[in-house]
Amino acid sequence: MYYKISIGFDKIVYGTDWPQTNETIYPCSIDHPLFIKQWRFKKTPLNVITPIPKLKAKAILTDLIGTSSNGSEYALTISNKLKSVLEKYNTGNVEFIPIKMQKGVRDIKGYWMTNILGFDNQECANYNLSTVFLKGKGYNEYIQMKIKDYHHHLEERSKERNIEQEGYWSIYIHKLVLSKSISNNLLIINFIKNGVIGYYVSEKLKKEIEDAGCMGIVFEPVEQA
């Protein structure tokens, strides 16, 4: 069994509504060549610049922090504790970058931002059983697609300029089914519904995260076949 890890909405756990941050400090322009957004899906330099999220006054410092800032798209903001568990099972698809946060006038250290370097769709997503839709620009406009594998998915998305002209804007996996035999404990799956990148953990890794006492993580089970 595998689980998608995500942020929940329990104010008792997080201290506030999502996100736990209410604003962001940008040490440079978001177009700066060293700003993290320019290094999406690429190995970052040592002097990469990250945003500085400002936590809400009532926010609780969980091990997975809900942030919303330019540059943090597709990234998780995680504690030292959660990083130490995840990195044991990293196959090279994830880079961990130290990030500073603020709460009031206090700097919060000991947190990391993930940067995705690769995906496990080809080996781990069962496209024959997953449900893939081409999404329209209007409410509830979907056309189901028959996608054979990740390469086929990329080929169809490469036609996106023509798709946009016809009133549709992207092809996403709406219901993911993972392959039965997977050896990796940490998976990164691309093109999940509404443009999300999914982080998935095995039963073994889920137990290690829980045994480490990591807080603020919701585990959503994913079908395997």
Side-chain angles (χ1 to χ4, degrees):
M1 176 70 75
Y2 278 76
Y3 301 84
K4 183 176 183 289
I5 59 175
S6 60
I7 296 281
F9 299 95
D10 189 341
K11 289 180 70 172
I12 295 175
V13 174
Y14 302 98
T16 181
D17 295 322
W18 186 94
Q20 287 152 284
T21 58
N22 57 3
E23 60 178 297
T24 304
I25 298 170
Y26 296 100
C28 65
S29 163
I30 62 173
D31 296 319
H32 192 286
L34 287 175
F35 186 62
I36 183 66
K37 193 166 187 176
Q38 314 307 324
W39 294 86
R40 185 177 292 163
F41 312 134
K42 296 180 288 187
K43 182 74 174 175
T44 60
L46 290 175
N47 56 344
V48 68
I49 302 170
T50 59
I52 303 172
K54 296 194 73 173
L55 289 154
K56 296 174 182 174
K58 294 184 178 180
I60 295 171
L61 284 171
T62 51
D63 294 285
L64 179 58
I65 296 284
T67 62
S68 178
S69 63
N70 202 315
S72 67
E73 303 92 339
Y74 313 127
L76 301 179
T77 301
I78 62 176
S79 68
N80 280 335
K81 185 192 297 184
L82 181 53
K83 171 186 174 279
S84 69
V85 179
L86 294 179
E87 68 182 347
K88 290 191 296 182
Y89 298 98
N90 184 16
T91 58
N93 280 355
V94 183
E95 179 183 28
F96 299 98
I97 303 165
I99 187 172
K100 184 172 70 176
M101 298 189 292
Q102 285 188 356
K103 188 174 185 182
V105 297
R106 183 165 59 104
D107 287 343
I108 305 294
K109 298 181 180 179
Y111 277 81
W112 302 77
M113 173 187 284
T114 59
N115 184 42
I116 302 304
L117 302 177
F119 301 98
D120 296 293
N121 292 55
Q122 185 64 28
E123 299 80 10
C124 301
N126 185 332
Y127 274 93
N128 290 325
L129 296 178
S130 296
T131 305
V132 183
F133 283 106
L134 168 63
K135 188 181 186 307
K137 293 183 178 179
Y139 175 74
N140 206 27
E141 290 184 4
Y142 299 100
I143 295 175
Q144 188 163 354
M145 304 281 288
K146 187 63 178 175
I147 302 294
K148 295 180 295 184
D149 54 33
Y150 188 45
H151 291 306
H152 185 207
H153 197 162
L154 293 173
E155 288 172 6
E156 291 299 319
R157 286 182 62 93
S158 71
K159 304 172 185 176
E160 196 161 310
R161 182 171 297 177
N162 292 332
I163 289 170
E164 287 177 349
Q165 291 173 354
E166 295 169 10
Y168 289 86
W169 60 270
S170 215
I171 302 167
Y172 295 126
I173 302 171
H174 280 233
K175 180 187 176 185
L176 173 67
V177 177
L178 291 170
S179 301
K180 199 68 175 176
S181 37
I182 300 174
S183 58
N184 296 343
N185 289 281
L186 174 62
L187 311 177
I188 311 297
I189 305 293
N190 202 3
F191 306 139
I192 302 299
K193 184 178 179 180
N194 295 328
V196 172
I197 290 175
Y199 296 73
Y200 299 83
V201 298
S202 66
E203 189 82 53
K204 175 184 178 180
L205 182 46
K206 173 179 179 287
K207 184 176 186 304
E208 287 198 31
I209 291 170
E210 292 172 331
D211 288 348
C214 293
M215 303 296 294
I217 304 164
V218 174
F219 296 95
E220 305 171 29
V222 182
E223 183 181 346
Q224 280 184 273

